[in-house]
């Protein structure tokens, strides 16, 4: 019996062990199954991550192409349109497009960082060039929001360093862009300091400070999270995805630094970092703040010194904002401005078009400014081979001028570009016959068509296509009259020169002079004379001296007839206009400064209320008074804006004198 109980206990124990063994086997199978599921999930997650990175990279690449196309076409509108309202729309498109392009770039960089494919690219760069480009990148939104940019730049920092300039520019640019974006009033400050290290190294210390909305203390820890924008109430009107700071933070880490933030909500923020760089040239940068302040003062008091609608210049710079700034500074001069973003593109453009002057950046990738200049001078069949080339450079250290002159440049301009000096360079090196100084009383760049004595019907009878001539002058009727007077003198001068070439049987010299005459004739709309000159140009270039001698008297007769007709036309029209203006001003009433201001205030209120009838009536009433030249110009501009339905522009014009 006792043995039976033992047997029963053994049997129960064995059964229990068997159950436990079965349970363990089942648990093991379940664990293995879970491990397989987890491993498969991790594989799927990695595939999804890779697919996301590939998608983001491809999407950003694909989107950049149409954005660049749109911005390129918009740039053509900015270059060619004379309508200020349309230019205003185009500038808004440019700013919005630039923001969109920046967001796409952030997405591309984010995908590269996430996939570990982002690489640093070491190279030599100038601190001054870096600063200039960064300032230009935020210049438009700064002006639009009326913010002050302060620069706290160590004057003794070595001006030439080695490091990843592209990503350093991106980091500082993102911080500056954010500072401007989230600051409504006050100042954005860029600090740059440095600390010497061993083996020609230095620690570059950068900080961007603003007086903007700031960040709440509880949110600072989350500020570098991807796709996260804090305090949406304060920033709801600003563009952005919250991705820029995340990318910036990772880039700083890759470059051996740490991005830090100090902020007080409602008062502003300071973003700072320090990264190691190498010293290539220890010459000090100098007082960059003074140079920047001077360029700002000059741009505020800017008034174009000349106009040259027939002159063609090419500006070469690898930075799009620098090209935009150069074009903007020269816009009112009516120059024909083309741009190239590299040395190679510059050379291609020179094969297709002839220019009178080139302005070229020094520090460009692949082919720098010096190498491009050498290629220009060596390029055969290049009509612009020997034209002046001006260096545009942020390298303003001692000995810079000698360097550029020795390299073959005619002159150089340091960045930030001062409008006054830029125009002086243009006046000095452009062909004299193409430049019209605005202090010449005969030229008014804001002249109204109604106040010009231009008689298109008489000009047509003389064989001059005034419509073409006006097109070449950018629509300025007073400038066209000035060019016609100059052309009258050119006709006599060219005839004497051509006869001299014939007497010496110098057919090559004849070809050069008749080529210039052809261009002069086309510019004023003397199309028949231009065609005759073109025929003689072809024959003289072919060396057909006898045919040139036979046909030249016909050309000379056309030149003399046109010159005599221009003499009579210009003398008659000048007398008629003088009498008309004198009679017109005599009939008009006097107006006191007090009444002038009162009527402008009324006009301002009517513009603000969009009172169309009242605005028209006020402008017509003001035109009945004797006004100073300055006030007449203001009234004409205001009327033009009203006719274009740009009432906001008209209000700004009126406000400028109230």
């Amino acid at each position: 019996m006792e043995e039976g109980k033992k047997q029963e206990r053994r049997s129960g124990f064995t059964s229990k062990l068997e159950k436990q063994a079965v349970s363990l086997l089942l648990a093991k199978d379940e664990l293995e199954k879970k491990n397989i599921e987890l491993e498969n999930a991790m594989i799927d997650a990695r595939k999804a991550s890779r697919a996301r990175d590939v998608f983001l990279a491809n999407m950003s690449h694909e989107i950049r192409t149409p954005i660049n196309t749109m911005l390129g076409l918009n740039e053509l509108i900015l270059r060619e349109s004379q309508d200020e309202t349309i230019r205003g729309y185009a500038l808004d498109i440019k700013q919005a497009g630039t923001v969109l392009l920046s967001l796409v770039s952030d997405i591309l960089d984010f995908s590269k960082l996430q996939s570990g494919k982002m690489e640093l690219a070491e190279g030599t760069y100038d601190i001054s060039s870096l600063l200039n480009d960064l300032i230009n990148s935020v210049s438009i939104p700064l002006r639009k929001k009326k913010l002050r940019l302060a620069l706290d730049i160590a004057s003794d920092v070595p001006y030439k360093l080695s490091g990843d300039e592209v990503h350093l520019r991106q980091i500082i640019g993102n911080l500056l862009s954010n500072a401007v974006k989230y600051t409504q009033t006050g100042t954005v400050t860029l600090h740059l300091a440095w600390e010497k290290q061993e083996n020609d190294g230095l620690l570059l210390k950068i900080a961007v400070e603003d007086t903007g909305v700031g960040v709440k203390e509880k949110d600072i820890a989350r500020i570098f999270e991807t796709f996260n924008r804090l305090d949406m109430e304060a920033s709801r009107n600003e563009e952005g995805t919250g991705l820029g700071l995340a990318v910036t933070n990772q880039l700083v880490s890759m470059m051996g630094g740490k991005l830090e933030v100090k902020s007080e909500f409602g008062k502003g923020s300071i973003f700072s970092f320090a990264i190691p760089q190498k010293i290539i040239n220890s010459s000090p940068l100098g007082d960059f703040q003074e140079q920047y302040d001077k360029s700002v003062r000059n741009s505020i008091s800017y008034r174009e010194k000349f106009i040259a609608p027939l002159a063609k210049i090419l500006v070469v710079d690898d930075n799009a904002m620098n090209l935009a700034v150069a074009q903007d500074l020269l816009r009112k001069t009516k120059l024909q401005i083309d741009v190239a973003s590299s040395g190679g593109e510059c050379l291609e453009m020179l094969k297709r078009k002839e220019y009178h002057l080139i302005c070229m950046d020094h520090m460009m990738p692949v082919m720098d400014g010096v190498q491009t200049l050498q290629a220009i001078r060596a390029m055969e069949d290049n009509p612009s081979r020997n034209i002046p080339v001006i260096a545009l450079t942020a390298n303003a250290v001692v000995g810079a001028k000698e360097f550029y002159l020795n390299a073959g440049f005619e002159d150089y301009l340091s960045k930030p570009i001062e409008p006054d000096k830029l125009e002086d360079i243009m006046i000095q090196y452009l062909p004299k016959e193409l430049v019209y100084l605005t202090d010449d009383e005969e030229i008014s760049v804001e002249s109204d068509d109604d106040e010009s004595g231009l008689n298109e019907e008489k000009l047509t009878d003389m064989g001059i296509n005034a419509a073409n001539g006006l097109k070449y002058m950018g629509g300025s009727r007073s400038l066209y009259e000035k060019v016609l007077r100059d052309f009258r003198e050119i006709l006599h001068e060219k005839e004497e020169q051509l006869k001299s070439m014939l007497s010496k049987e110098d057919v090559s010299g004849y070809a050069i002079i008749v080529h210039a005459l052809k261009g002069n004739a086309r510019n004023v709309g003397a199309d028949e004379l231009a065609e005759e000159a073109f025929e003689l140009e072809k024959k003289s270039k072919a060396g057909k001296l006898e045919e040139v001698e036979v046909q030249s008297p016909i050309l000379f007769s056309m030149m003399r007839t046109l010159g005599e007709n221009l003499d009579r036309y210009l003398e008659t029209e000048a007398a008629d206009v003088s009498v008309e203006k004198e009679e017109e001003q005599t009939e008009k009433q006097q107006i006191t400064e007090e009444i002038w201001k009162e009527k402008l205030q009324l006009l301002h209120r009517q513009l603000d209320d969009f009172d169309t009838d009242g605005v028209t009536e006020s402008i017509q009433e003001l035109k009945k008074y004797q006004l100073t030249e300055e006030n007449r110009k203001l009234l004409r501009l205001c009327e033009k804006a009203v006719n274009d339905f740009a009432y906001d522009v008209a209000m700004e014009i009126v406000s400028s004198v109230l």
Side-chain angles (χ1 to χ4, degrees):
M1 185 174 181
E2 189 66 29
E3 185 63 30
K5 289 180 179 180
K6 287 181 180 180
Q7 185 65 31
E8 187 178 342
R9 284 197 298 269
R10 280 196 297 271
S11 176
F13 182 70
T14 300
S15 177
K16 188 175 182 180
L17 285 175
E18 288 175 349
K19 288 179 181 179
Q20 288 177 344
V22 170
S23 178
L24 286 172
L25 287 172
L26 291 173
K28 181 181 178 183
D29 289 342
E30 187 66 25
L31 182 61
E32 287 178 352
K33 184 179 178 181
K34 291 289 184 184
N35 284 337
I36 291 171
E37 290 177 356
L38 183 60
E39 187 175 344
N40 288 335
M42 290 176 66
I43 291 172
D44 290 340
R46 282 194 292 268
K47 287 181 179 178
S49 178
R50 282 196 297 272
R52 179 202 63 189
D53 293 339
V54 170
F55 169 74
L56 289 175
N58 289 337
M59 181 193 70
S60 57
H61 274 302
E62 292 299 323
I63 292 177
R64 285 177 70 93
T65 300
I67 292 176
N68 282 322
T69 301
M70 288 187 291
L71 289 177
L73 293 172
N74 189 64
E75 189 65 31
L76 292 177
I77 295 173
L78 284 170
R79 292 185 201 175
E80 297 176 8
S81 176
Q82 301 298 321
D83 189 304
E84 290 301 319
T85 304
I86 292 175
R87 288 183 59 81
Y89 296 151
L91 284 170
D92 289 340
I93 292 172
K94 182 174 183 176
Q95 184 179 358
T98 303
V99 170
L100 182 58
L101 198 59
S102 175
L103 295 179
V104 172
S105 297
D106 282 343
I107 293 171
L108 178 60
D109 288 338
F110 174 70
S111 65
K112 286 182 179 178
L113 287 164
Q114 292 296 100
S115 62
K117 294 180 180 178
M118 180 70 80
E119 296 179 357
L120 299 179
E122 298 287 326
T124 300
Y125 64 94
D126 289 353
I127 283 287
S128 48
S129 180
L130 174 73
L131 291 172
N132 180 78
D133 292 351
L134 288 168
I135 291 169
N136 285 342
S137 71
V138 294
S139 59
I140 294 176
L142 274 171
R143 286 199 302 268
K144 205 164 188 178
K145 299 180 80 170
K146 298 181 180 178
L147 299 177
R148 176 176 175 266
L149 176 66
L151 301 174
D152 175 27
I153 311 297
S155 60
D156 60 345
V157 62
Y159 88 94
K160 186 167 286 190
L161 305 177
S162 177
D164 188 342
E165 180 193 9
V166 173
H167 289 116
L168 178 59
R169 188 189 302 262
Q170 183 179 351
I171 291 167
I172 303 174
N174 275 344
L175 295 180
L176 279 172
S177 177
N178 272 351
V180 174
K181 185 186 297 182
Y182 296 110
T183 302
Q184 301 307 317
T185 59
T187 304
V188 173
T189 306
L190 174 61
H191 303 272
L192 185 150
W194 68 294
E195 182 180 308
K196 185 75 170 68
Q197 293 187 319
E198 297 179 352
N199 300 324
D200 291 328
L202 63 74
L203 196 64
L204 193 62
K205 300 178 179 179
I206 304 291
V208 175
E209 181 178 0
D210 64 62
T211 56
V213 295
V215 182
K216 294 176 182 177
E217 188 174 353
K218 65 182 181 66
D219 290 330
I220 290 179
R222 299 167 45 223
I223 200 167
F224 300 124
E225 293 178 8
T226 56
F227 301 104
N228 186 25
R229 294 179 65 198
L230 307 177
D231 186 29
M232 295 302 292
E233 179 65 25
S235 60
R236 66 182 182 274
N237 294 323
E238 303 298 340
E239 307 96 335
T241 61
L243 188 58
L245 277 178
V247 171
T248 301
N249 185 39
Q250 292 185 60
L251 287 174
V252 171
S253 297
M254 284 184 65
M255 297 178 76
K258 181 181 179 183
L259 187 57
E260 298 180 341
V261 58
K262 295 179 182 179
S263 186
E264 186 173 351
F265 187 67
K267 292 189 176 181
S269 307
I270 302 176
F271 288 82
S272 61
F273 65 92
I275 56 172
Q277 302 282 272
K278 291 181 181 179
I279 301 173
I280 300 300
N281 190 317
S282 58
S283 299
L285 171 67
D287 195 337
F288 189 85
Q289 173 73 62
E290 180 182 354
Q291 190 176 354
Y292 172 71
D293 288 343
K294 188 175 180 181
S295 70
V296 171
R297 285 195 301 271
N298 286 343
S299 64
I300 291 173
S301 60
Y302 166 74
R303 179 184 181 274
E304 66 281 355
K305 293 182 178 181
F306 74 98
I307 45 179
L310 305 179
K312 305 178 186 70
I313 73 167
L314 178 62
V315 182
V316 188
D317 198 305
D318 65 303
N319 184 282
M321 287 305 300
N322 287 345
L323 292 174
V325 167
Q327 288 176 286
D328 189 53
L329 290 177
L330 292 170
R331 179 172 58 86
K332 290 189 176 181
T333 65
K334 300 184 184 293
L335 280 163
Q336 297 180 40
I337 306 171
D338 287 340
V339 297
S341 57
S342 68
E345 186 179 350
C346 166
L347 297 177
E348 286 300 314
M349 294 181 74
L350 290 176
K351 294 176 183 177
R352 301 191 299 268
K353 189 173 180 179
E354 184 176 353
Y355 294 94
H356 298 106
L357 184 143
I358 299 173
C359 295
M360 183 148 49
D361 184 36
H362 176 202
M363 299 300 292
M364 296 187 293
V366 184
M367 181 185 291
D368 67 22
V370 175
Q371 293 169 323
T372 305
L373 174 62
Q374 292 169 348
I376 291 171
R377 299 302 189 217
M379 191 164 67
E380 295 182 1
D381 298 325
N382 171 19
S384 305
R385 183 175 185 174
N386 297 312
I387 66 171
V389 181
I390 310 300
L392 301 179
T393 175
N395 182 358
V397 298
V398 176
K401 183 170 185 177
E402 289 74 12
F403 170 81
Y404 290 110
L405 293 180
N406 291 336
F409 290 94
E410 265 67 29
D411 214 323
Y412 93 115
L413 278 172
S414 59
K415 299 176 184 178
I417 297 173
E418 298 176 30
D420 194 56
K421 289 185 177 180
L422 178 60
E423 291 200 1
D424 285 342
I425 285 282
M426 298 290 113
I427 292 169
Q428 181 178 353
Y429 292 104
L430 283 172
K432 302 303 179 197
E433 65 272 17
L434 301 182
V435 175
Y436 300 91
L437 302 179
T438 53
D439 58 7
D440 186 335
E441 293 181 358
E442 295 178 322
I443 299 178
S444 170
V445 295
E446 296 175 345
S447 173
D448 189 282
D449 289 355
D450 294 338
E451 297 201 2
S452 169
L454 192 65
N455 189 321
E456 295 184 37
E457 187 176 345
K458 285 186 179 180
L459 289 170
T460 301
D461 292 340
M462 293 161 47
I464 293 180
N465 187 333
N468 278 349
L470 280 169
K471 181 179 69 174
Y472 296 134
M473 302 301 132
S476 173
R477 300 169 76 88
S478 59
L479 174 59
Y480 185 38
E481 287 188 4
K482 174 68 168 64
V483 173
L484 282 173
R485 282 191 287 274
D486 290 345
F487 182 61
R488 176 180 56 181
E489 302 300 323
I490 288 171
L491 287 172
H492 176 72
E493 175 188 313
K494 297 297 183 189
E495 182 180 353
E496 294 301 317
Q497 291 174 349
L498 289 170
K499 287 180 177 178
S500 174
M501 292 298 110
L502 285 177
S503 67
K504 294 185 289 188
E505 298 186 351
D506 184 354
V507 71
S508 297
Y510 187 101
I512 293 172
I513 296 168
V514 82
H515 169 78
L517 174 64
K518 177 192 69 177
N520 295 139
R522 287 227 188 278
N523 289 336
V524 298
D527 297 336
E528 290 183 11
L529 180 62
E531 286 301 319
E532 188 68 27
F534 181 47
E535 290 299 319
L536 279 162
E537 179 188 1
K538 290 188 290 186
K539 291 178 179 180
S540 56
K541 283 183 175 179
K544 299 177 180 179
L545 178 60
E546 290 184 5
E547 293 185 27
V548 170
E549 289 176 332
V550 170
Q551 194 169 339
S552 287
I554 300 173
L555 176 69
F556 297 154
S557 176
M558 293 176 68
M559 293 169 69
R560 282 194 298 272
T561 301
L562 187 54
E564 291 167 1
N565 287 337
L566 278 173
D567 281 336
R568 288 192 293 271
Y569 167 81
L570 292 169
E571 289 168 7
T572 303
E573 294 302 315
D576 290 347
V577 170
S578 177
V579 171
E580 287 174 8
K581 285 190 174 181
E582 185 177 345
E583 291 175 350
E584 181 185 334
Q585 287 300 313
T586 303
E587 293 172 359
K588 290 185 176 182
Q589 304 174 36
Q590 297 281 351
I591 186 171
T592 65
E593 185 67 21
E594 183 179 355
I595 295 176
W596 167 251
K597 289 289 178 69
E598 286 178 3
K599 291 188 177 296
L600 284 184
Q601 288 170 352
L602 171 62
L603 177 59
H604 191 278
R605 290 195 297 272
Q606 292 168 333
L607 288 166
D608 196 22
D609 294 337
F610 214 81
D611 179 1
T612 307
D613 293 335
V615 166
T616 303
E617 185 179 337
S618 290
I619 290 176
Q620 293 305 317
E621 183 182 354
L622 283 169
K623 290 171 74 173
K624 295 177 182 177
Y625 290 96
Q626 284 190 31
L627 302 176
T628 64
E629 178 63 25
E630 183 179 350
N631 287 342
R632 286 205 306 274
K633 287 180 181 178
L634 179 140
L635 196 59
R636 287 199 301 270
L637 290 171
C638 181
E639 187 175 25
K640 182 180 185 303
V642 169
N643 291 337
D644 293 337
F645 299 100
Y647 276 38
D648 54 340
V649 176
M651 286 177 64
E652 288 183 17
I653 293 169
V654 175
S655 297
S656 67
V657 293
L658 289 178

